[in-house]
Amino acid sequence: MPSNTISLLIPDGEAPVLMIVLNCLSEIKGIKIHVMSDDADIPMKHSKKVFKFYYRPKTESASDYINNINAITENHDIDLIMPIFEDSIRLITKYKDLITVPNKLALLPSHSNFEKAIHKGTLINYLKTLGLPYPKSQVFTQGTTPDLSKVNYPVLIKPIESPGGGVGIKVFKDAPEFLEFLKSNDSKGDYLVQDYIEGYDIDCSVLCKNGEVLAYTIQKPNMFGGNKFAPQISFKFVKQDDIINQVKTLMKSLDWSGVAHLDMRFDKNAKNFKVVEINPRFWGSVEASLFAGVNFPHLYCLASLNKTFETPNYKLIDFMLLKGLVKSIKKDKTQLLKLNFIFNNTPIKYILKDLKPTIYRTSLFILRKLKL
């Protein structure tokens, strides 16, 4: 294999961020992308960006999963194993000793620090010990009641084990409304009870190695999906020294290796930025960072292969995800005429360059509808 070619295995092809990670990697010549998935019907298996696709049925055994990774790595001369979403990262960090060639693993945090970052309650306690700003919070588990004397209204609650996308997040404006929720069946499960912060959301994406930030972007949302807790679908890249300094302190303390996306919020009363949660994997707007000048998946490969690079400077652009573009066009049909913006500030060009996955995805959708 030529020295300038990287053979890369993504072992969690069913991850919702696969398409955008592939779009970023497709900008770099010489990367052969192998994709393993427990879903035989993922649309991206038809992408010309995928060199080879492997379907491996899901089992309850972690060793089966690791053995599948080991077999593909050995049989297909894989240079780098790069999980992209939390389920796979969790398994691989936990059972790293079962990987036959651990030196081929992409940069990953320790399992304990991964769990510390992803668990909302644990993270809040950790931020407290570091002395970093955080939303006043308390955890309550099913069958228990939070200390209402410590609750300030409006109050926000979110599931400890959230599926993401803002699912399960609720805000209550007063005590009667909150108490009514606590008495209902909807309150079953483990929740984080948190002061609702008056202010605005802002996010920081990072690539780290041994606690050092190698690359980052900061973006401020200006449009969300179905509700204000849903993922951002349009935003502007910004510079903010207060944020990156705070993030560097946190990542250093965690000795973080790999990528992460930090959800933060500016507290307009306290006049500071608070870390709300850490997503210890690739995120939905990673493609946007590419347009701004930071190709996180490619830099992740380079850093994992011990290649050095200068911390990239990113452009302060506006960007819309496809959902944002559709929403914008629905509001104002003249947005269709802004072709320069559409091709340079949205990911539409990647769909046009690689139509097979979209056609396959649409066909599956139509077939499911016909069966209803």
Side-chain angles (χ1 to χ4, degrees):
M1 181 176 291
S3 59
N4 61 345
T5 299
I6 299 172
S7 188
L8 171 70
L9 172 63
I10 295 176
D12 45 349
E14 65 284 348
V17 296
L18 175 66
M19 181 180 71
I20 55 180
V21 170
L22 290 178
N23 288 344
C24 293
L25 291 173
S26 71
E27 292 291 325
I28 309 301
K29 292 182 179 179
I31 299 182
K32 288 186 175 181
I33 305 170
H34 300 247
V35 175
M36 182 180 96
S37 177
D38 60 23
D39 182 352
D41 291 323
I42 63 168
M44 292 309 292
K45 74 178 182 180
H46 300 285
S47 171
K48 60 185 180 182
K49 303 179 182 81
V50 175
F51 178 72
K52 194 169 180 63
F53 175 78
Y54 312 87
Y55 167 59
R56 298 293 183 269
K58 187 174 184 177
T59 73
E60 296 303 314
S61 168
S63 62
D64 287 346
Y65 180 71
I66 300 295
N67 287 338
N68 286 332
I69 293 174
N70 287 335
I72 293 172
T73 301
E74 180 180 348
N75 296 333
H76 298 277
D77 198 21
I78 299 298
D79 298 305
L80 190 64
I81 304 163
M82 192 177 86
I84 59 176
F85 220 59
E86 54 245 42
D87 289 347
S88 185
I89 295 172
R90 172 178 271 137
L91 271 176
I92 290 174
T93 55
K94 186 174 183 179
Y95 298 101
K96 185 178 178 180
D97 59 324
L98 298 180
I99 297 286
T100 53
V101 279
N103 60 310
K104 291 190 175 184
L105 276 177
L107 292 170
L108 293 171
S110 69
H111 182 69
S112 61
N113 282 339
F114 172 87
E115 294 294 350
K116 191 178 295 179
I118 200 170
H119 189 279
K120 296 177 179 64
T122 305
L123 176 62
I124 290 297
N125 291 331
Y126 186 68
L127 292 169
K128 184 177 181 180
T129 63
L130 285 179
L132 293 176
Y134 64 95
K136 181 182 173 185
S137 311
Q138 58 176 305
V139 176
F140 78 95
T141 56
Q142 187 172 346
T144 65
T145 303
D147 186 348
L148 298 181
S149 67
K150 295 181 180 179
V151 174
N152 297 318
Y153 296 94
V155 66
L156 178 148
I157 64 108
K158 59 179 73 171
I160 290 292
E161 293 292 336
S162 171
V167 176
I169 299 178
K170 302 177 186 294
V171 176
F172 303 98
K173 63 181 184 295
D174 54 36
E177 191 176 58
F178 187 37
L179 287 170
E180 184 177 344
F181 166 77
L182 293 175
K183 294 175 184 176
S184 71
N185 289 331
D186 292 339
S187 67
K188 290 181 178 178
D190 297 342
Y191 282 88
L192 190 70
V193 180
Q194 203 166 70
D195 284 1
Y196 179 78
I197 301 170
E198 296 291 342
Y200 59 83
D201 291 329
I202 195 161
D203 303 330
C204 183
S205 310
V206 294
L207 166 64
C208 303
K209 185 174 184 177
N210 300 327
E212 298 298 324
V213 174
L214 303 180
Y216 73 94
T217 57
I218 300 171
Q219 51 268 2
K220 183 179 178 183
N222 51 38
M223 189 190 301
F224 295 88
N227 60 71
K228 63 183 177 180
F229 300 116
Q232 57 192 4
I233 55 177
S234 178
F235 39 85
K236 181 178 182 63
F237 285 88
V238 299
K239 300 284 188 179
Q240 190 70 50
D241 289 343
D242 289 358
I243 287 180
I244 190 57
N245 290 337
Q246 187 172 322
V247 169
K248 284 180 177 180
T249 298
L250 178 53
M251 296 295 104
K252 184 71 173 178
S253 73
L254 289 168
D255 192 31
W256 196 263
S257 286
V259 295
H261 184 75
L262 293 88
D263 293 340
M264 304 181 74
R265 192 162 173 86
F266 178 71
D267 187 331
K268 72 175 186 180
N269 296 316
K271 306 297 182 188
N272 62 17
F273 294 95
K274 292 179 166 64
V275 176
V276 176
E277 61 183 74
I278 299 177
N279 299 296
R281 38 78 173 174
F282 280 108
W283 51 96
S285 60
V286 67
E287 204 171 45
S289 296
L290 168 67
F291 279 73
V294 182
N295 190 334
F296 278 104
H298 178 229
L299 296 178
Y300 188 22
C301 290
L302 293 180
S304 298
L305 294 168
N306 294 314
K307 307 290 186 183
T308 58
F309 53 86
E310 295 290 328
T311 299
N313 191 25
Y314 59 93
K315 297 174 285 188
L316 306 184
I317 64 168
D318 291 296
F319 191 86
M320 280 187 181
L321 302 183
L322 287 178
K323 287 183 179 179
L325 178 61
V326 171
K327 191 172 183 177
S328 177
I329 291 171
K330 283 182 178 179
K331 284 185 177 181
D332 181 5
K333 298 296 189 295
T334 64
Q335 297 294 321
L336 277 170
L337 302 176
K338 298 180 179 179
L339 297 181
N340 187 59
F341 180 87
I342 289 173
F343 279 93
N344 293 293
N345 300 76
T346 81
I348 192 72
K349 70 175 184 178
Y350 290 112
I351 289 180
L352 298 178
K353 287 182 179 179
D354 193 21
L355 284 172
K356 281 187 178 180
T358 301
I359 294 170
Y360 186 75
R361 185 183 296 108
T362 304
S363 301
L364 287 178
F365 175 78
I366 293 171
L367 286 173
R368 281 194 292 265
K369 288 292 184 182
L370 291 174
K371 288 179 181 179
L372 290 178

